[in-house]
Amino acid sequence: MDKNNPSTYFELFNEIAIIQQLSRASLEEKLPNGFLQPHFAVLNHLIRVHDGRTPLEISKAFQVPKTTMTHTLSGLEKHGLIEMLPNPKDGRSKCVWLTDKGRAFRGESIEKLEDYITDIAEHFDLQKIATTLETLKELRIYLDENR
Amino acid sequence: MDKNNPSTYFELFNEIAIIQQLSRASLEEKLPNGFLQPHFAVLNHLIRVHDGRTPLEISKAFQVPKTTMTHTLSGLEKHGLIEMLPNPKDGRSKCVWLTDKGRAFRGESIEKLEDYITDIAEHFDLQKIATTLETLKELRIYLDENR
DNA sequence: TAAATATAGTGCGATTTCGAATCAATATAG
DNA sequence: CTATATTGATTCGAAATCGCACTATATTTA
């Protein structure tokens, strides 16, 4: 295979776009009406990396424009799943905190997804998926740094 | 690692969503104003799998709702990059054909992307990317069939 | 072959996404 | 210290996305 043939990368990005469509749709049909993948992803992120993050930090983590994140966060706040408090270290900024309701919502969502995920897990070698994940992480980091 | 721990899959879908954001943004900043990743992807698809496809076939290939594809195709048609003719085999349907202008546009877009892609290619082992692509293809097929 | 059901595509309306402009607060420079 | 530039967040408007309902054609069934 030609090292300089870019078609493998076009294909890769194409597959990624399709899987994103599929996984997003599957997730959203399991969430209550009015909740979208970005809502779930943000709650999840706040658990994984700890809450108290600023909107800008979160938007960078997902590589979405900050104005998009404003919209997503306001949806979460309207439903009482997060609280946005002033950032004590920077008067321009805010910190995003999970509420009990937000933690509960995230937990319930994960439960609803568990069957879906274990079903997939039964059909794939975990090591293979883990290796793929590692490669994608490296790629994501490179794309981010060389944007 | 626990075979039934779903966190690897959550992480995987998360990385996929981020890479999709990054690659889409990088692509779109290289396209002329008013053209988006879906436009490019459809033109590319029509070259790869041959044109004359129906809108429904194309929407399934990308796993987007058909109403979304209607919108994308009408954009391409308005710019004269595709033609939509009646499907001789089905009066309800249409066939999508590339115009010369569409082929040229796709070629120029690929040229503009080549530096971006070869830059990435220089930093990753092609075999590793190819393996990742294979796994993602399998995953996409599984997700599609078990939707 | 008529009636019932399913399928391909589109129009419409609600929501999401996101770039540009704006505002307030902070950091930097002179 | 003041003036200037930068940064975090929001508002606003335009466009994309997509579910629902609808039309026209095809397919199935009785």
Side-chain angles (χ1 to χ4, degrees):
Chain A
M1 224 187 253
D2 178 3
K3 176 85 183 168
N4 286 319
N5 183 345
S7 71
T8 302
Y9 284 90
F10 282 114
E11 261 192 83
L12 181 71
F13 291 131
N14 190 43
E15 287 297 333
I16 284 174
I18 295 170
I19 293 175
Q20 159 63 8
Q21 274 296 126
L22 278 163
S23 61
R24 178 171 183 153
S26 293
L27 167 62
E28 289 179 359
E29 82 184 6
K30 287 166 193 71
L31 294 180
N33 234 310
F35 292 97
L36 301 172
Q37 187 250 0
H39 297 124
F40 174 75
V42 166
L43 294 182
N44 229 17
H45 179 77
L46 292 174
I47 296 259
R48 280 208 334 269
V49 306
H50 238 275
D51 53 353
R53 301 299 154 125
T54 69
L56 193 59
E57 282 172 333
I58 301 172
S59 75
K60 279 180 182 153
F62 291 108
Q63 300 286 344
V64 298
K66 57 185 179 172
T67 118
T68 301
M69 191 48 65
T70 296
H71 182 77
T72 300
L73 292 174
S74 83
L76 287 169
E77 195 178 27
K78 184 159 43 193
H79 285 96
L81 305 184
I82 59 166
E83 261 182 333
M84 299 192 42
L85 302 176
N87 185 343
K89 296 188 180 149
D90 187 336
R92 293 165 297 184
S93 180
K94 300 186 174 172
C95 294
V96 181
W97 299 95
L98 287 162
T99 62
D100 289 347
K101 196 173 165 190
R103 287 173 199 279
F105 181 93
R106 184 258 184 181
E108 290 153 23
S109 303
I110 295 228
E111 268 178 43
K112 281 184 207 141
L113 287 164
E114 229 138 49
D115 282 355
Y116 174 72
I117 297 286
T118 53
D119 218 57
I120 302 171
E122 277 166 18
H123 286 79
F124 288 88
D125 174 41
L126 184 57
Q127 187 50 55
K128 196 160 138 183
I129 296 295
T131 305
T132 297
L133 174 57
E134 276 319 300
T135 303
L136 292 183
K137 268 189 199 172
E138 288 169 27
L139 181 60
R140 184 254 304 162
I141 290 166
Y142 180 80
L143 294 179
D144 182 17
E145 286 171 352
N146 296 79
R147 200 158 18 132
Chain B
M1 223 187 257
D2 178 4
K3 175 84 183 171
N4 287 319
N5 184 344
S7 71
T8 302
Y9 284 90
F10 282 114
E11 261 193 83
L12 180 71
F13 291 131
N14 190 43
E15 287 298 333
I16 285 174
I18 296 169
I19 293 175
Q20 160 64 7
Q21 274 295 124
L22 278 163
S23 60
R24 177 169 183 155
S26 293
L27 167 61
E28 287 179 359
E29 82 186 5
K30 289 166 192 69
L31 294 180
N33 234 308
F35 292 96
L36 302 172
Q37 188 250 359
H39 297 125
F40 173 77
V42 167
L43 294 181
N44 228 16
H45 179 78
L46 292 174
I47 296 258
R48 280 209 332 270
V49 307
H50 238 275
D51 53 354
R53 301 298 155 126
T54 69
L56 193 59
E57 283 172 332
I58 302 172
S59 74
K60 281 180 180 153
F62 291 108
Q63 300 285 346
V64 298
K66 58 185 179 171
T67 119
T68 302
M69 191 48 66
T70 296
H71 183 77
T72 301
L73 292 173
S74 83
L76 287 169
E77 196 178 27
K78 184 159 42 195
H79 285 97
L81 304 185
I82 59 166
E83 259 182 334
M84 301 194 36
L85 301 177
N87 185 343
K89 294 185 180 151
D90 187 335
R92 295 166 297 184
S93 179
K94 300 185 175 174
C95 294
V96 181
W97 299 95
L98 288 162
T99 62
D100 288 348
K101 196 173 165 192
R103 287 173 199 280
F105 181 93
R106 184 257 184 181
E108 290 154 22
S109 303
I110 294 229
E111 268 177 44
K112 280 184 209 141
L113 287 164
E114 228 137 50
D115 282 357
Y116 174 72
I117 297 286
T118 54
D119 218 56
I120 302 170
E122 277 167 17
H123 286 79
F124 289 88
D125 174 41
L126 184 56
Q127 187 50 55
K128 196 161 140 184
I129 296 295
T131 305
T132 296
L133 174 57
E134 276 318 301
T135 302
L136 292 183
K137 269 189 199 172
E138 289 169 26
L139 180 61
R140 184 255 303 162
I141 289 167
Y142 181 80
L143 294 179
D144 182 17
E145 286 171 352
N146 297 78
R147 203 161 13 138

